């Protein structure tokens, strides 16, 4: 066992391995293999026989008294097309080739165990559309005459380090409306590529009835949201990203489901549970949603098939699993994680652990090299260790404590009160051998009720003083701190990087989805690209710095190397210096203290040059240092540097393998 601190829990870890092995054995007995188990979307739902042209609809609803397929094809007659039930509780009906047509609306009328009949959306539907007048959802037959023709092949294993651009298609344009997959592909992807990101993470793709849920109250798990276009439009987006050598991740929600019965899975067969845990355990206390029963074979097959569906049908390159903490614990993360015992006690849902292990295994079997990121705030040990070690098999986890730290510092501490030791500990505090995705902020910090880093730093001043020719100490500080926070977070916080769309240039304001409280306005649910495109505004400086930041990190393979090593944590002067991959990073966090001849030890003697300077005029700084100046170590291997207030620089030893220039 690599981590000696986990030795007291060796038995629990072995128990997890045994449960995984038992689950895998059971899947092989029931379905033949893990991959066959996860191909159930070819069996359930509405499928067409390629040889005969016949349609077959199958639905698992073990407690239901009757199911009837209804839709445009039969005038919505609730008695015309009854399904028959087998001994496993699977209902089915086969229809002739001309019975259903592409674009027809369908539902299933379910007479539940309670005797109540309800019109529902088929659980495995691959397209659901919303009536703009009534907001009512219905399934839609998606069987176009010609299948989408993919233009590009992409191997996700080429992504050594993910630089992730987190996105939401609907709010990705500037007009006050919902935007489309194709608009994103044509208008936003080029920006992402220009900035140097090699991965995009798509939010809100799985169909959801309420736009303002940010896509986290999913109703139809196999259906890409029709708000943004057709399934082929989504394929066009992914295909175009692959053509730009950009991987595409799905923000997948398997932690819970919307409680709506008309659109979702809740109480599908009238038994009160079925897909979800019975009683209070099946109700999420914070999210007003339903929690899956991961111990039930049919539920596990549904979710595993969902993983395979998105990988194969849409060629996603991996996932960001939402709400993993809620999945792992019956208390949904409400109890403290003060000691290691909290990760192995009675509060852990072992079936959920086994499901995530199976999902991680499946992902690599279907698409070797795919990325699997866990959103977990609990710090579960082994989350990113191989399953055969007793781990859960994820490739990365989100470093969720870092953005919380920055919010706390900006809200509660004056600049002169910032502790270099606390900052270093927070940024570097992660489990060894478990890759983390570092980020200073994500969509969570951009929502109404919170503030982005830029807005927290500059607030209302951004409305009036972002022009190049206007002077403002608040804006000067905000721009300087924004760059420093992002640089130090990227360089120390993990083995990957994430940025939410628009934060790279300091997008002002918050995200507020259309709702009754704002008169259903889209004013704050969009991205104002005109701000960064305007040559007279300072937003362009932050954008330029972000591109330089990503270029520096990717070209030096910075995040593919071991964690940083401190050179000096200077509380008195508020200076932090460290090296990683042989590069030296120096930060002067003081707001008013310029330090001449600051002596700093280096990992190697010799000649050093600055490859990134936050004070460069290209990045909205004052350009106070000569970028071409070289620095030489003394006989003790120390550099003598001039450290300006609220600036940071990255240095490389002249003659090292990778050349990076900030001004090309």
């Amino acid at each position: 066992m690599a981590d000696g601190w986990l030795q007291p829990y060796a038995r629990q870890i072995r128990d997890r391995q045994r449960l995984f092995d038992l689950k895998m054995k059971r899947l092989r007995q029931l379905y033949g293999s893990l991959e066959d188990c996860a191909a159930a979307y070819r069996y359930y739902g509405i499928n067409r026989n390629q040889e005969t042209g016949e349609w077959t609809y199958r639905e698992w609803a073990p407690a239901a008294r009757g199911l009837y397929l209804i839709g445009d094809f039969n005038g919505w007659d609730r008695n015309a097309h009854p399904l028959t039930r087998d001994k496993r509780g699977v209902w089915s009906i086969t229809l002739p080739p001309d019975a259903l047509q592409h674009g027809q609306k369908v539902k299933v009328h379910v007479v539940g165990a309670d005797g109540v009949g309800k019109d529902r959306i088929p659980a495995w539907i691959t397209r659901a559309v919303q009536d703009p007048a009534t907001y009512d959802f219905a399934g839609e037959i998606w069987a176009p005459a010609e299948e989408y023709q993919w233009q590009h092949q992409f191997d996700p294993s080429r992504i050594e380090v993910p630089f992730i651009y987190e996105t939401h298609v609907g709010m990705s344009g500037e007009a006050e409306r919902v935007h489309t997959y194709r608009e994103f592909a044509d208008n936003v992807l080029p920006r992402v590529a220009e900035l140097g990101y090699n991965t995009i993470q798509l939010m809100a793709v799985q169909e959801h009835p309420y736009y303002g849920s940010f896509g986290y109250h999913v109703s139809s798990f196999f259906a890409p949201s029709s708000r943004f276009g057709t399934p082929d439009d989504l394929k066009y987006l992914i295909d175009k990203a692959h053509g730009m050598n950009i991987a595409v991740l799905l923000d997948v929600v398997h932690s819970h489901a919307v409680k709506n019965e008309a659109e979702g899975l809740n109480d599908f067969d009238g038994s009160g549970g079925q897909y979800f845990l019975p009683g209070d355990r099946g109700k999420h206390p914070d999210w007003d949603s339903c929690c899956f029963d991961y111990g039930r074979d049919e539920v596990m097959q549904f979710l595993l098939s969902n993983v395979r569906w998105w990988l194969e049908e849409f060629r996603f390159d991996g996932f960001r699993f939402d709400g993993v903490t809620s999945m792992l614990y019956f208390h949904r993360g409400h109890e403290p994680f003060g000691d290691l015992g909290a990760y192995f006690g009675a509060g852990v849902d072992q079936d959920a652990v086994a499901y995530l292990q199976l999902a991680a295994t499946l992902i690599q079997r279907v698409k070797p090299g795919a990325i699997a990121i866990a959103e977990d705030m609990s710090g579960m040990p082994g989350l990113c260790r191989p399953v055969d070690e007793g781990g859960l098999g994820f490739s990365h986890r989100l470093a969720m404590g870092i953005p919380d730290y920055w919010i706390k510092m900006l809200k509660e501490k004056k600049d002169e009160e910032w502790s270099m030791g606390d900052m270093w500990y927070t940024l570097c505090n992660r489990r060894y051998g478990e890759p983390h995705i570092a980020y200073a902020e994500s969509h969570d910090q951009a929502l109404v009720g919170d503030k982005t880093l830029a807005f927290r730093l500059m607030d209302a001043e951004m409305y009036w003083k972002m022009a190049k020719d206007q002077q403002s100490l608040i804006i000067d500080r905000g721009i300087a701190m924004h760059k420093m926070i992002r640089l130090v977070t990227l360089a120390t916080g993990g083995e990957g990087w994430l940025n939410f769309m628009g934060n790279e240039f300091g997008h002002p304001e918050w995200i507020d989805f259309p709702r009754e409280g704002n008169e259903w306005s889209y004013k704050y649910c969009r991205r104002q690209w005109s701000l960064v495109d305007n040559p007279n505004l300072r937003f362009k400086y932050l954008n330029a710095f972000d591109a330089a930041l990503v270029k520096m990190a990717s070209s030096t393979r910075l995040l593919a190397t071991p964690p940083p090593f401190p050179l000096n944590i200077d509380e008195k002067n508020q200076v932090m210096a460290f090296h990683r991959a042989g590069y030296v990073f120096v930060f002067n966090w003081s707001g008013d203290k310029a330090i001449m001849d600051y002596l700093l030890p280096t990992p190697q003697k010799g000649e050093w040059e600055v490859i990134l300077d936050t004070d460069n005029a290209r990045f909205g700084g004052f350009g106070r240092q000569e970028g071409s100046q070289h620095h030489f170590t003394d006989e003790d291997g120390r550099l003598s540097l001039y450290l300006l207030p609220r600036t940071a620089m990255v240095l490389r030893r002249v003659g090292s393998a990778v050349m990076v220039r900030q001004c090309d």
Side-chain angles (χ1 to χ4, degrees), residues 117 142 145 176 182 192 229 254 272 323 412 420 429 497 499 517 610 623 656:
W142 185 255
E176 296 184 23
R182 287 185 178 267
V192 178
H254 284 180
E412 300 178 8
M420 300 297 97
N429 180 27
W497 173 248
N499 165 68
V610 175
S656 58

Side-chain angles (χ1 to χ4, degrees), residues 49 232 275 369:
N49 188 305
D232 282 2
Y275 285 95

Side-chain angles (χ1 to χ4, degrees), residues 3-68:
D3 188 345
W5 291 99
L6 297 178
Q7 190 61 46
Y9 308 99
R11 179 182 60 81
Q12 290 91 331
I13 294 173
R14 286 193 295 270
D15 287 345
R16 287 183 180 180
Q17 290 175 291
R18 280 193 288 268
L19 180 59
F20 170 80
D21 291 339
L22 286 172
K23 296 268 189 183
M24 186 69 82
K25 180 179 179 181
R26 179 166 176 79
L27 292 182
R28 286 196 295 264
Q29 291 172 341
L30 290 173
Y31 310 109
S33 69
L34 174 62
E35 293 92 324
D36 289 338
C37 167
Y41 54 82
R42 301 171 187 167
Y43 180 80
Y44 289 105
I46 300 173
N47 289 288
R48 191 169 199 175
N49 188 305
Q50 296 303 310
E51 295 180 1
T52 67
E54 292 181 321
W55 299 88
T56 300
Y57 169 48
R58 295 186 182 93
E59 195 76 74
W60 173 62
R65 298 184 184 182
L67 269 69
Y68 304 83

Side-chain angles (χ1 to χ4, degrees), residues 142-305:
W142 185 255
E146 296 183 5
E147 293 186 356
Y148 181 84
Q149 299 299 308
W150 294 89
Q151 302 299 312
H152 303 284
Q153 298 292 328
F154 187 82
D155 179 5
S157 64
R158 72 173 66 175
I159 304 293
E160 181 184 31
V161 171
F163 291 87
I164 303 169
Y165 198 83
E166 184 185 38
T167 66
H168 183 286
V169 167
M171 57 174 291
S172 63
E174 187 144 1
E176 296 184 23
R177 58 175 174 81
V178 176
H179 296 82
T180 69
Y181 297 122
R182 287 185 178 267
E183 287 177 318
F184 181 91
D186 294 339
N187 302 328
V188 182
L189 274 179
R191 294 179 182 272
V192 178
E194 182 68 22
L195 287 166
Y197 289 86
N198 60 18
T199 306
I200 59 171
Q201 178 178 298
L202 294 181
M203 304 175 64
V205 169
Q206 293 174 291
E207 191 61 84
H208 47 290
Y210 179 47
Y211 188 49
S213 74
F214 232 139
Y216 291 124
H217 276 191
V218 174
S219 51
S220 295
F221 284 76
F222 291 82
S225 179
S226 58
R227 286 185 181 87
F228 315 134
T230 69
D232 282 2
D233 293 336
L234 175 57
K235 291 177 181 179
Y236 172 82
L237 187 165
I238 296 169
D239 202 12
K240 190 158 187 176
H242 287 167
M244 296 178 175
N245 293 316
I246 296 174
V248 187
L249 306 184
L250 174 67
D251 195 350
V252 72
V253 184
H254 284 180
S255 48
H256 64 132
V258 71
K259 73 175 185 180
N260 303 26
E261 292 185 6
E263 299 92 356
L265 302 174
N266 188 17
D267 197 25
F268 192 87
D269 66 357
S271 65
Q274 191 182 347
Y275 285 95
F276 308 110
L277 289 167
D280 289 340
R281 277 191 170 178
K283 301 173 184 176
H284 201 287
D286 301 317
W287 300 341
D288 194 27
S289 56
C290 301
C291 301
F292 284 105
D293 184 351
Y294 303 104
R296 197 161 186 174
D297 293 334
E298 295 86 353
V299 175
M300 191 156 54
Q301 184 179 41
F302 178 84
L303 295 174
L304 289 171
S305 296

Side-chain angles (χ1 to χ4, degrees), residues 602-654:
T602 62
Q604 283 185 296
K605 291 183 179 181
E607 181 182 357
W608 291 76
E609 66 175 339
V610 175
I611 62 170
L612 189 65
D613 179 5
T614 63
D615 196 45
N616 188 295
R618 281 187 58 232
F619 310 140
F622 296 100
R624 290 168 287 186
Q625 300 221 50
E626 175 58 53
S628 62
Q629 179 183 356
H630 285 204
H631 305 268
F632 297 86
T633 56
D634 62 17
E635 60 184 13
D636 296 319
R638 299 177 301 177
L639 287 173
S640 177
L641 300 173
Y642 180 29
L643 305 185
L644 292 161
R646 290 200 183 106
T647 64
M649 64 179 76
V650 184
L651 299 97
R652 64 172 288 278
R653 194 173 68 85
V654 175

